[in-house]
């Protein structure tokens, strides 16, 4: 299997299925119809692609979007990037900042937006006005949209076991025998990106390397006046800290009585972690 055959299977699996679970099953089924050697080819191309995406700039972009700096989380993020197909993957590995252009990332941004709705009504005599203000923010990302796809990296292994007939068989061993070594696990003693590490908390460096992400998240070269320093921020903590984990709904009622110049306010805040 050459690189074209690899990307053909990756992209067909997306076109012919509706969910991630279906996609994993589709790939396992199609790979298990191939020879063991061809399955190793698939795993080898997958490893080489993952290595290509394993850079410090990509790690910074992953951390900013997902809010997670774990080594495993970064690997699953790269698995997800491969699942997007040859075109999107090539675009973002050449320039990780172009992640902001991907429709899948734009959807995450949309789910994370703040929404506000205001409605005003008056009493029959017009003496009192009631303003209802509802703000909704941070809708939880659906599982199908999360920028991680761990199970996508296991399809070759499961297919290889079916073909070889051994539960302990793994194509990674055959890939290593070809002289191909994975850059993951990231930041371990065994593997680390070849490019130079940089300080994610350096705003000037961040905006230079990832200007699109910096603009979206409001990251500037210098701290803004209302930014408060946090002792929790470490050497590799970017801005902002954390993605949209859940949903917060705030409702406020404002009562205006004409002629008195006064205003009474009542506010209720509600948190939940389900979809809006």
């Amino acid at each position: 299997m050459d690189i074209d055959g690899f990307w053909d299977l990756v992209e067909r699996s997306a076109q012919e299925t509706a969910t991630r679970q279906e996609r994993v099953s589709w790939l396992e089924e199609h790979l298990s119809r191939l020879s063991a050697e061809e399955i190793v080819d698939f795993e080898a191309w997958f490893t080489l692609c993952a290595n290509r995406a394993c850079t410090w700039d990509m790690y910074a972009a992953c951390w900013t979007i997902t809010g997670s700096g774990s080594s495993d989380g970064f690997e699953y993020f790269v698995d997800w990037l491969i699942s997007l197909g040859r075109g999107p993957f090539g675009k973002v590995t050449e320039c990780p900042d172009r992640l902001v252009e991907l429709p899948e990332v734009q959807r995450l941004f949309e789910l994370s937006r703040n929404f506000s709705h205001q409605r005003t009504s008056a009493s029959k005599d017009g003496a009192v006005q009631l303003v209802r203000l509802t703000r909704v923010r941070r809708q939880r990302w659906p599982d199908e949209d999360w920028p991680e796809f761990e199970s996508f990296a296991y399809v070759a292994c499961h297919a290889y076991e079916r073909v070889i007939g051994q539960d302990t068989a793994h194509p990674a061993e055959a890939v290593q025998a070809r002289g191909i070594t994975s850059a993951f696990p990231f930041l371990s003693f065994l593997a680390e990106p070849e490019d130079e590490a940089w300080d994610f908390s350096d705003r000037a460096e961040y905006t230079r390397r990832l200007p699109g992400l910096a603009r979206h998240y409001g990251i500037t070269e210098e701290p803004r006046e209302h930014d408060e320093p946090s002792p929790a921020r470490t050497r590799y903590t970017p801005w902002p800290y954390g993605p949209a984990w859940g949903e917060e709904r705030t409702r406020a009622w404002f009562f205006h009585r004409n002629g008195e110049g006064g205003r009474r306010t009542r506010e209720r805040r509600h948190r939940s972690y389900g979809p809006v």
Side-chain angles (χ1 to χ4, degrees), residues 52 58 89-96 98:
R52 181 181 170 191
M58 190 70 78
F89 180 80
K91 176 190 296 185
V92 298
T93 50
E94 288 294 328
C95 177
R98 298 191 70 182

Side-chain angles (χ1 to χ4, degrees), residues 2 31 63 74 81 83 125 129 133 138 140 142 175 213-214 223 228 236-237 245 255:
D2 59 13
L31 284 172
W63 198 341
F74 179 41
L81 288 179
S83 77
D125 59 4
Q129 281 193 330
L133 179 63
R138 293 190 171 184
R140 185 183 186 278
V175 170
L213 282 167
E228 297 181 3
Y236 293 117
T237 302
W245 282 98
F255 299 88

Side-chain angles (χ1 to χ4, degrees), residues 43 64 229:
E43 180 72 6
T64 304

Side-chain angles (χ1 to χ4, degrees), residues 9-10 12-14 16-32 42 83 144 148-159 162:
L9 275 177
V10 168
R12 282 176 56 202
S13 69
E16 300 190 24
T17 58
T19 67
R20 291 188 177 185
Q21 184 55 53
E22 290 177 1
R23 189 173 182 186
V24 167
S25 298
W26 188 97
L27 266 175
E28 289 181 11
E29 180 63 30
H30 279 70
L31 284 172
S32 64
F42 182 93
S83 77
E144 290 289 322
E148 294 180 357
F149 201 168
E150 178 185 5
S151 58
F152 193 75
Y154 302 149
V155 292
C157 176
H158 295 158
R162 290 169 63 176

